[in-house]
Amino acid sequence: MTSGAFDATPSDDRGGRAFGPGRRWAFLAAAAVAVAAAVAVVLVLTAGGGSKAVDNTYGKLPSWLPPTAIASKPQYEVATAQKPVLGEEQGYTVRAELPTGTVDVTAVGPSVPSYVTKYAETGVWPAGRLVPSTFSVTFADVKGTIPISAGAFQVEDAQYRFIRASLSMKDRRAVPTVVRTGQTLTLLVHTKTLEGQGAVAWLPLAGRKTLVAWIYQVELD
């Protein structure tokens, strides 16, 4: 991958995350099937006079249930300089590892002005016109120091054009230059998009190399 650019198409080895539920939900589904099968075994043993002791206390799982069958919360993708995450869905959290620290970062959006959707519904908004768009990017569970700058965000629209962004805070405070251990920060990333699919990228590494890119979809009608 070249500096300052990214591929909005998810890689094959990530299971097509941008277009489907991905590995985390496949794991949960498999765990649910395992639990259902285990319950069926308990019913058969009970009906047949089996003597296997089972803890049926409300709120507890059977003590004999294999640990691998107990569903845990979905695991985050982990983005590093050596292995960036380039096709995550908007709304998903990525654990980003930088030389100066680590952070859980989530991008949601974009939101577009109501007048744009109103014009689009009446056929007034021209096809191919860039749409003012805002993403919310949240930094949480920070350990160390994470640099913040408008230059570290850019958008690739459906026509593969790169568009720069500006930053603001909801409460109109000045945007900090860093976020530190224990802090949580939500930025508003203002940019423009085309109707259709694209990607919003975060490039905090030296040389403006993309660390995380989230796929988004803009539909005006």
Side-chain angles (χ1 to χ4, degrees):
M1 189 181 85
T2 58
S3 174
F6 59 93
D7 182 1
T9 303
S11 58
D12 292 338
D13 64 344
R14 297 186 61 250
R17 172 61 54 75
F19 302 99
R23 293 190 298 259
R24 69 191 72 184
W25 302 121
F27 171 77
L28 292 178
V33 171
V35 171
V39 171
V41 171
V42 173
L43 293 176
V44 171
L45 289 175
T46 303
S51 59
K52 190 82 170 181
V54 178
D55 182 2
N56 289 321
T57 305
Y58 180 80
K60 292 185 179 181
L61 291 171
S63 58
W64 48 264
L65 192 64
T68 54
I70 301 174
S72 60
K73 67 179 182 179
Q75 297 299 305
Y76 295 161
E77 297 275 12
V78 177
T80 66
Q82 295 72 32
K83 191 177 180 181
V85 174
L86 303 181
E88 185 61 277
E89 281 190 65
Q90 64 87 19
Y92 278 99
T93 298
V94 175
R95 185 67 172 174
E97 298 181 354
L98 284 73
T100 57
T102 61
V103 61
D104 289 347
V105 57
T106 311
V108 178
S111 61
V112 301
S114 58
Y115 73 84
V116 174
T117 54
K118 185 178 297 185
Y119 287 160
E121 289 171 355
T122 58
V124 177
W125 191 264
R129 183 174 179 178
L130 288 170
V131 179
S133 302
T134 300
F135 293 87
S136 294
V137 180
T138 299
F139 298 87
D141 195 18
V142 179
K143 293 179 175 59
T145 302
I146 305 299
I148 302 295
S149 72
F153 292 92
Q154 65 181 18
V155 169
E156 183 181 6
D157 63 27
Q159 301 301 318
Y160 304 104
R161 294 183 296 185
F162 288 95
I163 303 170
R164 293 191 178 278
S166 61
L167 303 181
S168 72
M169 301 277 287
K170 283 186 177 181
D171 57 8
R172 299 191 179 186
R173 287 182 301 149
V175 176
T177 57
V178 296
V179 57
R180 303 181 188 279
T181 299
Q183 294 180 319
T184 297
L185 174 70
T186 297
L187 297 174
L188 299 181
V189 180
H190 306 284
T191 183
K192 294 182 178 180
T193 62
L194 278 178
E195 188 170 11
Q197 192 178 75
V200 56
W202 182 41
L203 306 85
L205 300 172
R208 288 292 184 245
K209 180 181 179 182
T210 300
L211 184 61
V212 187
W214 292 267
I215 302 298
Y216 66 82
Q217 181 77 27
V218 176
E219 296 180 358
L220 298 180
D221 51 14

